[in-house]
Amino acid sequence: MDDDEHFETRAIHAGQEPDEETGALMTPIYANSTYEQSAPGEHTGYEYSRTGNPTRSDLEDNLAALEGGEHGRAFSSGMGSINTVMNLLDAGDHVVTGDDVYGGTHRLFTQVYEKYDVEFDFVDTTDHDAVADAMQENTELLWVETPTNPLMRVNDIDALSDIAHDNDALCAVDNTFATPYLQRPLEHGADIVSHSLTKYLGGHSDVVGGALVTDDAELDEEFGFYQNSVGATPGPFDAFLVLRGTKTLPVRMDRHCENANELAHWLEAHEHVEHVYYPGLESHRQHDLAAEQMDDFGGMLSFELDASLEEASEFVSSTEVFTLAESLGGVESLIEQPAAMTHAAIPKEEREAAGLTDPLIRASVGIENVDDLKADLDQAITAALE
Ligand SMILES: *Cc1c(COP(=O)(O)O)cnc(C)c1O
């Protein structure tokens, strides 16, 4: 693969040579567990499909090329990839991460790894002094998301990587919300990029997967060891679906961004909307940083309705084009109420202190016609509030 080629070209061709024997353009689904050896230990590079599978290898090469990285590894879910980074740690190690980190990540850290005596500090990662203060002698990892969920905070990857490296720690960035089309953390100093392929990279809400990308061969070797030892690997059908998804990532993301940007401005002017959280708005606290670090502002936004918890629940139940559902990043628009759904497990006081108010709504803006999306939100607001 030619590194000079543009993102759109890499999305379609990286890791995707036509099959030498048949000329088939698309990577076959190698539904296969084991591989013939010509003599014991002599093989083509594939022995057993947990360790390696050709469909998965093509996906891993494709994802590495999209992040501008050297090495890619695919997993059976985003949590599988995050767990693999955690496998690098020993008992007694310390991790610094965001206080608004993805709920599943928070659960993995506190309910699985604390059991193994890994220590965590959850801080506001937009506050660089707080991050630097949290770093300890035994801090091995700084885990960062940007933009964050659901308030779309933007974290400065260059600055946070520097803080991690000053303390001999690794900086890992969960790039699920932005995708490599909009933001490439390795270019900003991060050591590891993590993805939930379930979201924009798969892009069609039909597959669950995860990935890690790094430039560091030793780290990649360790990831391969844990990938094989733990076994959270994707099957070839899943790898095929994600490969099909990444080909259209650039055109999908352009429309996601365009629609989200238009909806964010429209919502900001709406009489029943108190506040809109979208990095593309001038009113966003880190709009300038987002403009620098990202090529566009993404398809996720949140907004606070002038409503009670019940009215906001009525609103999300009244949309017809937006589907009431968790998850994000598919071609269809989804809507949810964090206080009653994704973040309901957080005690109300803590939730409110973090800005996750009852009438906060999160939307994954799809690629439908934007006028239909506006009309749908408008009729649902009328149904719930008037
Ligand atoms: C969904 C998500 C994950 C977890 O990925 P799964 O594929 O659901 O395991 C991790 N981080 C972020 C930011 C996510 O949105």
Side-chain angles (χ1 to χ4, degrees):
M1 188 62 228
D2 188 343
D3 280 345
D4 296 339
E5 277 170 0
H6 292 92
F7 190 95
E8 294 81 353
T9 309
R10 278 182 273 147
I12 293 169
H13 294 289
Q16 298 275 278
E17 295 301 321
D19 184 65
E20 274 180 26
E21 209 164 300
T22 63
L25 250 59
M26 293 305 126
T27 297
I29 299 168
Y30 284 93
N32 180 56
S33 62
T34 192
Y35 305 80
E36 184 186 31
Q37 308 197 4
S38 54
E42 279 182 33
H43 51 75
T44 59
Y46 295 102
E47 294 170 86
Y48 186 64
S49 276
R50 168 162 38 72
T51 324
N53 173 285
T55 316
R56 187 174 103 205
S57 298
D58 280 6
L59 173 62
E60 291 175 333
D61 291 348
N62 182 260
L63 295 171
L66 295 188
E67 284 291 355
E70 291 290 325
H71 311 280
R73 298 275 173 183
F75 298 88
S76 54
S77 69
M79 292 321 301
S81 65
I82 298 169
N83 182 63
T84 303
V85 176
M86 298 309 291
N87 287 157
L88 299 173
L89 303 176
D90 294 317
D93 285 347
H94 176 250
V95 177
V96 176
T97 190
D99 55 6
D100 56 352
V101 78
Y102 174 71
T105 305
H106 188 274
R107 179 175 57 201
L108 179 74
F109 289 177
T110 56
Q111 294 187 42
V112 180
Y113 281 91
E114 280 189 354
K115 240 178 34 177
Y116 300 124
D117 291 330
V118 177
E119 298 166 18
F120 296 89
D121 263 314
F122 296 90
V123 302
D124 175 355
T125 40
T126 64
D127 178 348
H128 299 162
D129 291 337
V131 176
D133 286 348
M135 301 301 280
Q136 302 175 178
E137 194 79 358
N138 58 340
T139 306
E140 295 294 330
L141 177 69
L142 175 59
W143 183 273
V144 180
E145 284 172 19
T146 183
T148 66
N149 177 31
L151 294 179
M152 308 300 142
R153 286 199 193 125
V154 178
N155 282 308
D156 186 331
I157 304 172
D158 283 294
L160 292 169
S161 298
D162 283 347
I163 296 172
H165 297 155
D166 285 346
N167 290 273
D168 294 324
L170 294 170
C171 180
V173 176
D174 184 331
N175 203 27
T176 301
F177 270 41
T179 84
Y181 182 58
L182 303 183
Q183 170 177 285
R184 290 158 303 281
L186 299 179
E187 290 174 4
H188 296 280
D191 304 287
I192 302 163
V193 182
S194 177
H195 276 287
S196 168
L197 303 175
T198 315
K199 315 296 168 51
Y200 289 105
L201 295 184
H204 297 76
S205 307
D206 55 7
V207 63
V208 172
L212 296 176
V213 177
T214 182
D215 276 335
D216 184 321
E218 270 175 48
L219 266 181
D220 177 64
E221 185 105 357
E222 288 196 72
F223 291 155
F225 172 78
Y226 291 111
Q227 185 186 38
N228 187 43
S229 302
V230 175
T233 52
F237 292 88
D238 291 351
F240 169 83
L241 281 174
V242 179
L243 264 178
R244 188 162 68 161
T246 57
K247 289 184 210 304
T248 56
L249 179 69
V251 287
R252 284 188 285 108
M253 288 314 293
D254 281 343
R255 180 64 75 85
H256 281 296
C257 293
E258 201 182 303
N259 281 0
N261 193 52
E262 188 161 341
L263 278 188
H265 283 94
W266 177 80
L267 283 165
E268 200 167 45
H270 199 288
E271 57 170 336
H272 288 298
V273 175
E274 297 275 330
H275 192 77
V276 183
Y277 299 91
Y278 183 66
L281 292 175
E282 303 244 330
S283 60
H284 188 281
R285 196 153 64 88
Q286 296 130 327
H287 175 67
D288 292 343
L289 170 61
E292 236 172 82
Q293 184 168 275
M294 304 174 73
D295 294 330
D296 204 338
F297 303 106
M300 296 299 298
L301 61 81
S302 292
F303 56 98
E304 207 167 72
L305 280 177
D306 168 19
S308 65
L309 180 80
E310 293 72 24
E311 286 168 331
S313 294
E314 164 101 25
F315 163 75
V316 292
S317 309
S318 303
T319 55
E320 286 165 8
V321 182
F322 279 85
T323 303
L324 176 59
E326 295 182 3
S327 198
L328 59 113
V331 291
E332 62 287 311
S333 292
L334 303 181
I335 200 153
E336 69 118 354
Q337 185 180 10
M341 297 169 66
T342 43
H343 294 67
I346 306 172
K348 185 176 161 85
E349 252 176 51
E350 241 178 84
R351 216 167 53 212
E352 301 258 316
L356 306 179
T357 59
D358 286 346
L360 183 76
I361 307 293
R362 186 189 80 176
S364 172
V365 180
I367 64 173
E368 299 96 337
N369 182 291
V370 72
D371 291 333
D372 294 340
L373 297 178
K374 262 187 223 166
D376 188 38
L377 294 180
D378 210 27
Q379 69 76 23
I381 291 174
T382 304
L385 293 177
E386 288 171 10

